Amino acid sequence: MSRKALIAANWKMNGAKALIDSVSDALAKIQVDAELLICPPATLLPLFPESAKVALGAQDISSEVSGAYTGQLSAALIKEAGASYVLVGHSERRQYQFESDELVAAKVTTAIAAGLTPVLCIGESLAERQQEKTQQVIAKQLAAVYASHPELLLKSVIAYEPIWAIGTGESATPEQAQQTHAFIRNTLASYDRNAAQQVRILYGGSVNAENCAALFAQPDIDGALVGGASLKPEEFAQICLSIKAGAKE
C-alpha cells in the first residue's frame, strides 16, 4: 500500500486574511503530487476560499465532546468550521498546557470519533536526546495512544518533531531523522504491521527550502510539518515542490 506525501503548515498563533490570500496565490501557481494541509488559528478556518488547494486543520481540540468547558473547541465545532485534520499533542501544548500522554490519547480518540484525522505530534527534548532516551520517550508517547487501540492507527498521521529543533533553526540531519522515523514505523508495526506501512510519518523541526529535499528523500519520511517557513508563501511553495512525484511504499 502506497503512502501519498503530506505537507502540513502549522501557523501557530500567526496569520490573517492577507496571509491566507498570499499562500493561496503561491500554491495556485504550482502543481504538487502531495496533499497540502494548513493549520491556522481556528478563527481563520472559515476564511479560506473553497478554491484553495489545501486541506484545513485545527491546532488543537478539546477531549470533551461538548459541555461547560469555557474557551475550548470541540471536534464537531472544528469540523463545522471547515477542518478535516487536527494537530494533537504538539510539544508546545505538552510543555505550556501540561498535556499528559493520557490527555493526548483521549484527544486522538475524540478526533477520530468525530471524523477528523489527528496528526499526533511526538518528539524528545534536547536533554532526552543527550541522555540517549529518544526511543524510550517516543515509544512511551506512541504506546499511550495505540497500544490499547491499534485500530486507530489507520486513521492517524504521525509527526515526529524533535523539540530541540522546533523554531531553533537546528534540524535533525536526514540520517538522524530517518533513523527515528524507522524506529517509529517499527514500533507501530508491533501494534499493527499492515497499518504501520500505510501510516504517514511527517518530520517537523525547522524544515525549510534548503533542507527539505534531503529529508523527503528518506524512505520513511512521508512529508513535513512546517512551522516558521509556512508563514513565507514563496518558501512554503518551494518546500511543497521539493516532494518528488510518486508515493512511497
Side-chain angles (χ1 to χ4, degrees), residues 18-80:
L19 181 60
I20 293 174
D21 294 340
S22 297
V23 170
S24 297
D25 289 345
L27 296 180
K29 299 174 184 176
I30 63 175
Q31 293 293 325
V32 181
D33 188 22
E35 185 177 2
L36 306 182
L37 167 65
I38 294 181
C39 300
T43 55
L44 297 182
L45 286 168
L47 302 185
F48 277 78
E50 292 185 5
S51 59
K53 297 166 56 177
V54 297
L56 296 177
Q59 297 175 16
D60 184 43
I61 56 167
S62 173
S63 61
E64 303 293 338
V65 175
S66 62
Y69 301 100
T70 301
Q72 296 192 45
L73 293 173
S74 69
L77 290 172
I78 288 298
K79 189 173 181 181
E80 185 177 357

Side-chain angles (χ1 to χ4, degrees), residues 125-179:
S125 68
L126 178 59
E128 289 165 339
R129 171 166 282 271
Q130 291 174 335
Q131 296 167 13
E132 299 184 351
K133 293 183 177 180
T134 295
Q135 293 186 356
Q136 179 182 340
V137 169
I138 288 172
K140 179 176 179 290
Q141 291 171 334
L142 291 172
V145 180
Y146 301 115
S148 300
H149 301 284
E151 72 280 359
L152 301 179
L153 260 180
L154 278 176
K155 299 178 180 179
S156 302
V157 173
I158 308 294
Y160 167 58
E161 291 195 303
I163 298 170
W164 49 270
I166 299 174
T168 64
E170 297 291 332
S171 179
T173 67
E175 293 75 20
Q176 287 174 322
Q178 166 56 27
Q179 182 181 35

Side-chain angles (χ1 to χ4, degrees), residues 161-223:
E161 291 195 303
I163 298 170
W164 49 270
I166 299 174
T168 64
E170 297 291 332
S171 179
T173 67
E175 293 75 20
Q176 287 174 322
Q178 166 56 27
Q179 182 181 35
T180 304
H181 277 237
F183 172 77
I184 292 169
R185 201 173 301 281
N186 288 335
T187 301
L188 297 177
S190 70
Y191 306 135
D192 186 327
R193 183 168 299 277
N194 178 60
Q197 292 306 311
Q198 298 181 54
V199 171
R200 292 179 289 185
I201 306 176
L202 313 182
Y203 174 77
S206 296
V207 175
N208 56 49
E210 285 69 44
N211 62 22
C212 60
L215 289 165
F216 296 156
Q218 303 303 311
D220 286 298
I221 297 179
D222 303 312

